[in-house]
């Protein structure tokens, strides 16, 4: 039997995929690194962008937010009033946890779908740009973590 079959990397290396987690604190240059990678045509999955997309009008997450926090967290056009929602959750840990239980799963699901989409398109790797990669537990989904710090 071939030695390669006894290795954890017995799969064809050309077929292997890797997800790189990009994280860093405020004002460390993470966004700059992400922009440079994107300019180099490296696929980026940006958690901040996805977090906005999953609460756009017509999404199930926004409907759940409305059901949980009421119509006052919506603008007349049906979009989320982030400032109003922020004022509700800022000093109330229970309400913040309620919001996180709605938004975080929706963001994770959308990130995984984007990752799958890149793989289907033939990319061998992609970068997940996640500010709270470690704290949020998403580090478990990546093969390599890159921390940007200053």
């Amino acid at each position: 039997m071939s030695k390669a079959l006894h290795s954890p990397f017995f799969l064809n290396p050309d077929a292997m995929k890797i997800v790189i987690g990009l994280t860093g604190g405020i004002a460390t240059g993470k966004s700059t690194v992400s922009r440079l990678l994107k300019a180099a045509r490296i696929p980026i999955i940006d958690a901040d962008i996805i977090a906005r997309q999953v609460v756009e009008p017509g999404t199930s997450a926004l409907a759940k937010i409305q059901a949980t926090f009421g119509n006052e967290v919506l603008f007349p056009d049906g979009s989320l009033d982030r400032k109003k929602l922020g004022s509700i959750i800022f000093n109330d840990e229970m309400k913040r946890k309620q919001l996180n239980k709605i938004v975080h799963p929706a963001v994770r699901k959308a990130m995984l779908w984007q990752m799958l989409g890149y793989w289907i398109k033939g990319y061998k790797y992609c970068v997940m740009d996640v500010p709270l990669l470690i704290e949020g537990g998403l580090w478990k989904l990546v093969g390599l973590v890159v921390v940007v710090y200053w």
Side-chain angles (χ1 to χ4, degrees), residues 1-2 10 15 19 32 36 68 73 88 114 119 122 144-145 149:
M1 200 172 251
S2 164
F10 66 89
V19 180
T32 301
L36 289 169
T68 303
V73 299
I88 293 171
Q114 271 194 18
W119 289 355
L144 176 69
V145 174
Y149 66 94

Side-chain angles (χ1 to χ4, degrees), residues 6-18:
H6 296 289
S7 162
F9 301 104
F10 66 89
L11 295 173
N12 178 351
D14 292 335
M16 295 180 74
K17 311 287 187 203
I18 186 165

Side-chain angles (χ1 to χ4, degrees), residues 26-71:
I26 296 170
T28 59
K30 181 183 66 66
S31 295
T32 301
V33 171
S34 185
R35 277 193 303 276
L36 289 169
L37 294 170
K38 190 172 187 176
R41 299 183 185 251
I42 294 172
I44 305 292
I45 301 169
D46 190 320
D48 288 338
I49 292 171
I50 292 172
R52 293 189 182 285
Q53 292 171 340
V54 300
V55 295
E56 288 177 351
T59 61
S60 62
L62 184 59
K64 291 174 186 174
I65 290 170
Q66 181 181 11
T68 303
F69 298 99
N71 291 332

Side-chain angles (χ1 to χ4, degrees), residues 19 45 110-120 126 128 141:
V19 180
I45 301 169
M111 290 177 77
L112 291 172
W113 276 111
Q114 271 194 18
M115 180 180 64
L116 182 61
Y118 285 130
W119 289 355
I120 289 170
C126 63
M128 283 191 173
L141 300 177

Side-chain angles (χ1 to χ4, degrees), residues 106-146:
V107 170
R108 284 189 194 101
K109 180 179 176 183
M111 290 177 77
L112 291 172
W113 276 111
Q114 271 194 18
M115 180 180 64
L116 182 61
Y118 285 130
W119 289 355
I120 289 170
K121 291 176 185 174
Y123 288 96
K124 303 225 187 255
Y125 53 85
C126 63
V127 175
M128 283 191 173
D129 180 345
V130 184
L132 299 175
L133 181 74
I134 307 301
E135 299 86 343
L138 288 173
W139 63 270
K140 297 172 189 170
L141 300 177
V142 304
L144 176 69
V145 174
V146 175

Side-chain angles (χ1 to χ4, degrees), residues 81-95:
D81 183 342
R82 294 175 185 283
K83 188 174 182 179
K84 178 64 177 175
L85 181 59
S87 70
I88 293 171
I89 66 159
F90 186 71
N91 291 314
D92 189 328
E93 186 177 350
M94 187 180 93
K95 290 187 188 273

